[in-house]
């Protein structure tokens, strides 16, 4: 027999709920009984799946009763620290919709511990209150644990193009399923605030993963929570197996994880522990984060963009750029560099070199001579600093004026987003052949993922 508690809601043997008064008889009645038995049955079943072994994991359901609006239905929860597969109806707690304990199990003799409501109670209440859930399952299934460990910095689990995604509320086969990951804490109840934050930040989610621990899954009722929990575990298992096969679970094709030479790089390699990472984690400090150094020409951007767009643009814009910026210190420096280069070229008899007159000759004459020299240098495909500097400045203006539109391969934004989600920084080598700041070579929506080049 369960023991009824004197809770703030108990009124002369009646339990006052938000809009209705329920008698003690209701608390002891068949609907509550069915929910208690259901939790015991489900726990036995989930034990065989490894979701609630070693007393871990927990289940809660509302007392489904069509005559009572869901926010006012009573809640049944399992006890804490017990062998979940051996629980019976009388082991369960009954709570009011706001979370007050209305009835608790009777103590059992040694070696049983004194009864206590599940430590997951505050977390379950968040799902009830923030999502109007009808049932919540907390699983310690190893798949839900391992999937958070593959990429230890990831804040989300993402997967797409898997049939079982259809079993998750509001999702279709082609949708990307995103499950937030929160960090584990010493005590279950300490997870409450980060779980609430994740629920708020991911309005579409019906689950939250807890790193190195498990998952919380909720649904409109116990059937929905159970179905979704099964689908989530299936998808985590699939992701782990794909990862073991060297395949990328997060892309639509689930193809091989690209080699370090590929555009996407090798995310597994990005997490292969280095000595420094190992030492840091052994010391209990946060492991070092990794950085990917990207090339642009031929890696993120077609080489043809440089040859067919950037170089012609620079050639055609020299005169206009010099005329518009002639008085600036930057352009004066560019002209100074070019004048010195031309003097050297003249001394060496380089074809096409023509003297650039001194500043006193006037803006027009200086610009005309610079344009002639620059055209000859571009025609000869000279790789000289003076030319690269001027070209870089012309391209920068072109990107700023939107006369130049950046081009990146179609899988680059996806890779940048994924690396960003994994906490991996993306940067570029200091010397870029075309002397454009890398950030300018990317569409605005990609720029946020880049470390700004300085
Ligand atoms: C070995 S289980 C540790 C506690 C835990 O994570 C859990 O889910 C069980 O909580 P409960 O209080 O329901 O036993
Ligand atoms: Zn747990």
């Amino acid at each position: 027999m369960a023991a009824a508690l004197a809770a703030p809601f108990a009124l002369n043997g009646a339990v006052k709920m938000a809009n209705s008064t329920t008698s003690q008889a209701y608390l002891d009645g068949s609907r509550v009984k069915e929910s208690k038995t259901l939790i015991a049955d489900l726990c036995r079943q989930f034990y065989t799946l490894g979701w609630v072994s070693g007393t871990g994991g927990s289940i809660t359901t509302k007392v489904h009763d069509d005559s009572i609006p869901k926010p006012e239905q009573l809640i049944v929860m399992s006890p804490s620290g017990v062998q979940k597969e051996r629980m019976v109806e009388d082991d369960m707690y009954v709570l009011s919709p706001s979370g007050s304990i209305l009835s608790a199990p009777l103590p059992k003799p040694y070696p049983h511990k004194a009864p206590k409501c599940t430590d997951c109670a505050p977390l379950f209440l968040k799902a009830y209150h923030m999502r109007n859930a009808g049932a919540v399952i907390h699983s310690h299934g190893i798949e839900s644990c391992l999937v958070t460990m593959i990429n230890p910095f990831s804040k989300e689990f993402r997967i797409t193009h898997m049939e079982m995604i259809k079993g998750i509320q509001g999702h279709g086969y082609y949708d990307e399923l995103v499950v937030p990951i929160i960090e584990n804490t010493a005590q279950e109840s300490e997870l409450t605030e980060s779980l609430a934050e994740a629920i708020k930040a991911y309005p579409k989610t019906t689950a939250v993963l807890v790193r190195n621990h498990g998952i919380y899954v909720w649904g409109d009722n116990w059937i929905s929570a159970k179905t979704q929990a099964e689908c989530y575990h299936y998808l985590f298992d699939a992701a782990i197996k794909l990862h073991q096969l060297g395949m990328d679970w997060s892309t639509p094709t689930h193809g091989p994880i690209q080699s370090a030479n590929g555009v996407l790089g090798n995310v597994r390699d990005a997490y292969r522990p280095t000595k420094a990472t190992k030492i840091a984690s052994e010391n209990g400090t946060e492991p070092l984060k990794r950085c990917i150094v990207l090339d642009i020409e031929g890696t993120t951007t077609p080489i043809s963009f440089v040859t067919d767009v950037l170089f012609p643009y620079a050639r055609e814009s020299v005169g206009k750029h010099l005329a518009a910026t002639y008085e600036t210190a930057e352009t004066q420096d560019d002209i100074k560099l070019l004048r010195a280069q031309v003097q050297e070229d003249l001394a060496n008899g380089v074809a096409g070199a023509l003297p650039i007159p001194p500043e006193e000759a006037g803006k027009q004459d200086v610009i005309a001579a610079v344009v002639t020299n620059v055209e000859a240098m571009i025609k000869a495909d000279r790789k000289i600093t003076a030319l690269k500097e001027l070209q870089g400045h012309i391209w920068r203006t072109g990107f700023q004026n939107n006369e130049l539109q950046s081009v990146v391969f179609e899988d680059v934004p996806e890779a940048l987003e994924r690396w960003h989600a994994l906490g991996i920084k993306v940067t570029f080598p200091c010397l870029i052949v075309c002397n454009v700041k890398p950030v300018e070579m990317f569409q605005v929506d990609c720029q946020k993922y880049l470390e700004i080049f300085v």
Side-chain angles (χ1 to χ4, degrees):
M1 271 295 287
L5 286 191
F9 285 74
L11 300 169
N12 299 328
V15 178
K16 175 92 174 83
M17 294 192 291
N19 291 320
S20 62
T21 304
T22 301
S23 68
Q24 185 67 45
Y26 185 83
L27 204 53
D28 294 334
S30 62
R31 294 229 184 241
V32 175
K33 245 181 206 305
E34 279 161 20
S35 298
K36 289 176 168 183
T37 308
L38 175 69
I39 289 186
D41 285 349
L42 289 175
C43 271
R44 265 189 291 285
Q45 198 179 334
F46 293 165
Y47 179 78
T48 65
L49 300 172
W51 295 5
V52 291
S53 61
T55 77
S58 185
I59 310 179
T60 175
T61 181
K62 288 213 161 171
V63 177
H64 299 314
D65 185 339
D66 290 345
S67 66
I68 300 173
K70 208 199 284 171
E72 295 165 25
Q73 289 170 359
L74 296 184
I75 296 167
V76 178
M77 289 194 193
S78 54
S80 178
V82 304
Q83 298 198 317
K84 300 282 165 43
E85 76 283 12
R86 294 178 62 84
M87 294 184 308
V88 293
E89 176 200 316
D90 283 347
D91 290 325
M92 304 302 163
Y93 283 79
V94 182
L95 282 76
S96 73
S98 64
S100 307
I101 292 175
L102 303 177
S103 117
L106 291 169
K108 289 182 180 173
Y110 180 85
H112 295 283
K113 290 184 277 188
K116 175 174 171 256
C117 189
T118 174
D119 286 341
C120 307
L123 292 101
F124 288 156
L125 288 170
K126 287 291 179 193
Y128 282 135
H129 295 156
M130 294 176 77
R131 286 296 165 82
N132 196 22
V136 193
I137 295 168
H138 170 45
S139 161
H140 279 203
I142 190 67
E143 322 76 320
S144 61
C145 192
L146 287 178
V147 86
T148 66
M149 300 163 86
I150 294 174
N151 294 326
F153 309 120
S154 61
K155 299 289 175 211
E156 294 167 343
F157 168 81
R158 287 173 177 264
I159 196 162
T160 185
H161 287 61
M162 291 286 285
E163 182 65 11
M164 292 293 260
I165 292 175
K166 284 156 70 175
I168 306 299
Q169 191 183 301
H171 288 76
Y173 173 77
Y174 296 105
D175 290 334
E176 187 177 42
L177 173 71
V178 183
V179 186
I181 302 173
I182 60 172
E183 301 306 320
N184 198 29
T185 52
Q187 303 299 326
E188 195 91 26
S189 61
E190 291 167 0
L191 294 167
T192 311
E193 278 324 301
S194 49
L195 180 108
E197 277 167 26
I199 290 176
K200 204 165 155 205
Y202 292 81
K204 212 180 159 190
T205 197
T206 54
V208 174
L209 279 160
V210 185
R211 196 181 317 280
N212 308 345
H213 181 154
I215 188 168
Y216 281 81
V217 183
W218 57 89
D220 292 340
N221 51 57
W222 71 268
I223 296 173
S224 162
K226 176 176 178 286
T227 307
Q228 293 188 74
E230 286 164 357
C231 291
Y232 280 118
H233 284 79
Y234 173 99
L235 292 166
F236 301 149
D237 189 33
I240 293 161
K241 287 178 176 144
L242 284 168
H243 182 76
Q244 284 171 333
L245 291 169
M247 294 163 80
D248 188 348
W249 77 68
S250 64
T251 60
T253 52
H254 312 122
I257 295 171
Q258 301 266 316
S259 74
N261 297 330
V263 169
L264 295 179
N266 189 332
V267 174
R268 280 182 310 159
D269 284 350
Y271 284 104
R272 191 165 290 153
T274 60
K275 201 173 167 197
T277 320
K278 212 162 160 276
I279 291 167
S281 54
E282 276 166 7
N283 288 343
T285 57
E286 195 181 329
L288 296 178
K289 295 201 171 151
R290 298 296 192 83
C291 176
I292 287 174
V293 181
L294 271 188
D295 199 356
I296 293 179
E297 292 167 278
T299 303
T300 63
T301 302
I303 291 177
S304 60
F305 178 68
V306 178
T307 54
D308 300 349
V309 178
L310 287 184
F311 282 113
Y313 179 84
R315 195 174 54 240
E316 287 153 22
S317 310
V318 179
K320 190 176 79 176
H321 172 82
L322 291 174
T325 62
Y326 189 78
E327 282 76 26
T328 66
E330 184 180 85
T331 294
Q332 285 303 312
D333 286 346
D334 287 347
I335 292 173
K336 216 180 280 171
L337 264 181
L338 282 159
R339 195 182 274 118
Q341 180 66 50
V342 167
Q343 269 166 5
E344 197 185 309
D345 290 350
L346 286 167
N348 293 330
V350 174
L354 280 176
I356 299 175
E359 210 185 325
E360 301 79 63
K363 179 175 170 177
Q364 255 181 338
D365 287 356
V366 172
I367 290 177
V370 170
V371 170
T372 307
N373 278 288
V374 167
E375 282 174 353
M377 289 171 179
I378 291 175
K379 199 169 165 202
D381 196 20
R382 306 271 308 270
K383 307 273 187 248
I384 44 180
T385 307
L387 178 61
K388 284 194 209 169
E389 284 292 311
L390 178 63
Q391 281 174 323
H393 297 144
I394 293 172
W395 289 326
R396 187 193 56 209
T397 308
F399 283 115
Q400 283 168 354
N401 294 345
N402 291 324
E403 285 177 358
L404 285 171
Q405 294 290 327
S406 63
V407 174
V408 292
F409 290 116
E410 64 177 8
D411 44 3
V412 170
E414 180 200 327
L416 292 178
E417 250 180 76
R418 196 144 50 87
W419 289 330
H420 177 71
L422 294 173
I424 301 173
K425 295 199 182 308
V426 177
T427 188
F428 302 87
C430 290
L431 290 171
I432 303 293
V433 176
C434 55
N435 199 30
V436 178
K437 282 188 179 181
V439 72
E440 290 160 3
M441 295 282 285
F442 289 86
Q443 295 113 314
V444 172
D445 57 344
C446 285
Q447 289 179 4
K448 59 180 182 260
Y449 300 127
L450 307 175
E451 285 292 282
I452 305 297
F453 177 79
V454 281

